[in-house]
Amino acid sequence: MKEKPAPLAEPVVIAKFWKNRARNESLHVGFNSYEGHNLINVRIHTTGTDGIDRPTPKGISMSVRKLPELARALVKAEAEARRMGLLDGDSEVSA
């Protein structure tokens, strides 16, 4: 039986980008631990007048073991959005 990975000592930020044109909300994607469980966290942050991003209740955290399933669902959603004409064929995001 495979050992359970140790909880993360600190949060790990994978990506963040602006949610809207006003640039007062951003989406943060990362890993963190809660009560000994490693989680994938996708959350909206608001930017205060002091320039600091603060997390909001808007978002989702789930076991990092669900990450492959979430990734497959997002790939399917992107393909369907393109099929429906909701996204341009060349609207790619650079990593």
Side-chain angles (χ1 to χ4, degrees), residues 65-86:
R65 292 176 306 190
K66 292 284 193 177
L67 182 55
E69 194 172 348
L70 175 62
R72 285 190 299 272
L74 290 173
V75 167
K76 284 182 181 180
E78 181 184 14
E80 184 63 13
R82 289 186 191 286
R83 187 192 70 72
M84 295 172 67
L86 301 174

Side-chain angles (χ1 to χ4, degrees), residues 4-92:
K4 180 180 175 183
L8 297 170
E10 294 183 23
V12 177
V13 176
I14 303 299
K16 54 185 173 178
F17 54 91
W18 294 114
K19 178 186 172 210
N20 55 33
R21 289 185 204 169
R23 294 186 178 243
N24 60 355
E25 291 184 316
S26 55
L27 185 76
H28 292 225
V29 179
F31 299 121
N32 65 321
S33 291
Y34 182 74
E35 295 185 356
H37 299 280
N38 290 322
L39 306 172
I40 176 77
N41 191 11
V42 180
R43 188 150 312 279
I44 300 296
H45 285 62
T46 58
T47 305
T49 55
D50 56 4
I52 296 175
D53 288 346
R54 291 181 177 80
T56 71
K58 299 174 187 175
I60 184 168
S61 291
M62 66 177 77
S63 171
V64 74
R65 292 176 306 190
K66 292 284 193 177
L67 182 55
E69 194 172 348
L70 175 62
R72 285 190 299 272
L74 290 173
V75 167
K76 284 182 181 180
E78 181 184 14
E80 184 63 13
R82 289 186 191 286
R83 187 192 70 72
M84 295 172 67
L86 301 174
L87 287 176
D88 295 342
D90 62 346
S91 59
E92 287 189 29

